[in-house]
Amino acid sequence: MLFELPLAPTPVKRDIRKLSADELKAFLVEHGEKPFRAKQVQEWLWKNTAASFEAMNNLSLATRELLGAHFVINGVTVQNKQLSNDGTIKSAFRLFDGNVVEGVLIPHDTRMTACISSQVGCSLTCKFCATGYMDRKRNLDAAEIYDQVVRIREQCEAQYGTPLTNIVYMGMGEPLLNYANVVESVRRITSPDGLNMAPRRITISTAGIAKMIKKLADDDVKANLALSLHAPTDAKRNEIMPINEANSLAALKEALQYYHQKTGRKVTYEYIVFENFNDTLEDAENLLKISKWLPCKINLIEYNPIENADYRNTGEENLMSFHQYLADRGVQTNLRRSRGKDIDAACGQLAVKEKTTA
């Protein structure tokens, strides 16, 4: 009786962008290539954002075939994009494994901002945020975060003929729960060997992970920090942001003061003003107290309704009174008007829907 031996499984090729510069150099030398080839390949991958080995046209055919035989480039592609009436562009980005995340280009008179995602879904379950009603499937790796910026930069230049100026980590997911990949992506984006963007143009937004805020300070991560505050007391914050139960305002105060002491940087507080929840002058007084923790600015944000929540945006008169209360007391306060609401691209609305995954 004859028995067929099972076929050996096809080895899974590693994404070449997961190799360090030293690992890539060691591989090339081991296969008879000159050490300087590693720098050429790295330049193609990060500075020139090559999507294939075939595009690396200053390498020999043999070198490109060698790379292709051992590695892949798991690039991010635009599966679908929508253009808002106000010029905002929302993109559904398809990842190599079929998962989809969303990112947004937000045009403004003085800046062009990319809002990018750090996770597929989210685990924090904030009650007002569409992404919070999704399951967290996995973290994005640094190259996938980087590629979102590249794709949005391309859209910016094609649609508006102007360069991308700012990046905010305010899309799907909690950046500080994907700390290593987020920090590596910032390093790549700001490197002269990458996109060479200024660190002051990058903002990492967190729902409030106290110990990771301290780690940002210890690691001296070159980016701005924003805290999604949205309520000025523990009782109210617990109601809409369960993460607060393990990261109370007292814990966040201590972490933010530590951050400021080590970095010297201001912090931005993001505050959605909900009708009949956090929009009274008593709330403004409590927010004023928080503003005195350390040098800061406050962004008052319009709420953008989602299907799963019953919250409403406060009225215009109430919003202006709230804003004036803080401004009159010397707090740097900005009103952030929503962009892209008609295509569910505004703050808190990102969620991969059927129409963007078809």
Side-chain angles (χ1 to χ4, degrees):
M1 190 174 189
L2 296 176
F3 293 94
E4 290 188 6
L5 294 174
L7 295 174
T10 303
V12 177
K13 296 180 183 179
R14 189 177 179 188
D15 186 343
I16 193 169
R17 291 185 295 179
K18 289 185 180 292
L19 271 65
S20 68
D22 288 341
E23 288 174 324
L24 180 58
K25 183 186 292 186
F27 169 83
L28 290 169
V29 169
E30 182 184 346
H31 288 81
E33 298 283 347
K34 299 294 185 184
F36 72 85
R37 292 289 181 212
K39 184 173 176 59
Q40 289 181 307
V41 174
Q42 289 267 311
E43 186 171 283
W44 275 111
L45 292 172
W46 299 106
K47 194 167 187 176
N48 299 328
T49 64
S52 69
F53 298 117
E54 290 76 14
M56 302 178 181
N57 54 26
N58 66 342
L59 303 181
S60 70
L61 177 60
T63 302
R64 284 176 278 164
E65 288 178 343
L66 172 68
L67 295 173
H70 289 84
F71 303 108
V72 292
I73 302 173
N74 287 330
V76 170
T77 58
V78 178
Q79 174 178 280
N80 177 291
K81 71 177 181 178
Q82 296 170 272
L83 179 63
S84 168
N85 294 328
D86 62 25
T88 299
I89 299 174
K90 181 174 77 169
S91 297
F93 294 115
R94 178 168 286 277
L95 311 179
F96 77 98
D97 59 1
N99 280 308
V100 177
V101 297
E102 292 184 336
V104 184
L105 170 64
I106 308 167
H108 188 272
D109 292 342
T110 59
R111 60 187 179 274
M112 305 295 281
T113 302
C115 176
I116 57 174
S117 295
S118 56
Q119 296 179 310
V120 181
C122 188
S123 59
L124 294 191
T125 67
C126 297
K127 303 306 181 188
F128 52 86
C129 177
T131 313
Y133 290 86
M134 301 173 64
D135 292 332
R136 188 197 73 84
K137 295 183 178 179
R138 69 171 178 86
N139 289 335
L140 299 187
D141 66 32
E144 290 171 325
I145 298 171
Y146 187 93
D147 277 355
Q148 290 176 76
V149 178
V150 172
R151 300 285 88 81
I152 293 174
R153 184 181 68 168
E154 292 169 350
Q155 292 172 352
C156 185
E157 293 171 353
Q159 184 77 21
Y160 296 104
T162 189
L164 188 70
T165 63
N166 293 72
I167 300 168
V168 292
Y169 286 72
M170 295 183 185
M172 298 168 66
E174 165 53 56
L176 296 191
L177 292 181
N178 185 17
Y179 184 89
N181 287 310
V182 164
V183 170
E184 174 64 11
S185 70
V186 170
R187 187 184 75 79
R188 291 287 187 184
I189 289 166
T190 57
S191 170
D193 297 325
L195 300 184
N196 200 28
M197 292 191 70
R200 70 180 184 279
R201 298 287 189 170
I202 299 174
T203 299
I204 297 172
S205 177
T206 177
I209 317 295
K211 68 178 183 179
M212 303 312 291
I213 290 172
K214 289 183 176 181
K215 186 164 175 55
L216 282 173
D218 289 337
D219 294 342
D220 194 22
V221 176
K222 305 295 186 183
N224 301 310
L225 176 65
L227 173 67
S228 294
L229 184 63
H230 306 317
T233 65
D234 280 320
K236 289 189 176 185
R237 206 163 186 266
N238 288 345
E239 185 175 336
I240 60 172
M241 301 178 73
I243 187 65
N244 193 71
E245 294 175 10
N247 293 266
S248 68
L249 289 176
L252 291 174
K253 176 182 179 180
E254 196 263 334
L256 291 169
Q257 288 177 335
Y258 180 89
Y259 175 87
H260 174 68
Q261 182 182 18
K262 291 210 70 169
T263 68
R265 300 189 194 106
K266 282 185 176 182
V267 170
T268 298
Y269 296 118
E270 307 283 355
Y271 191 95
I272 298 172
V273 192
F274 300 104
E275 183 180 67
N276 297 327
F277 179 72
N278 65 350
D279 61 345
T280 67
L281 290 185
E282 181 183 354
D283 292 312
E285 171 62 26
N286 285 326
L287 183 54
L288 177 65
K289 293 174 184 176
I290 290 173
S291 75
K292 295 177 180 178
W293 289 354
L294 67 153
C296 70
K297 66 178 180 179
I298 296 174
N299 288 339
L300 300 180
I301 304 170
E302 291 180 283
Y303 179 61
N304 305 296
I306 60 172
E307 292 176 0
N308 296 313
D310 294 327
Y311 299 104
R312 293 187 300 274
N313 191 33
T314 195
E316 184 68 17
E317 184 176 343
N318 216 28
L319 177 63
M320 296 310 297
S321 295
F322 197 99
H323 174 269
Q324 199 63 47
Y325 183 93
L326 296 168
D328 286 347
R329 287 154 180 80
V331 182
Q332 183 182 349
T333 311
N334 304 308
L335 289 174
R336 288 283 187 250
R337 301 297 184 178
S338 294
R339 306 293 297 270
K341 286 194 284 190
D342 56 313
I343 57 170
D344 292 333
C347 181
Q349 291 186 318
L350 295 188
V352 177
K353 297 185 178 180
E354 211 167 303
K355 66 183 178 184
T356 60
T357 57

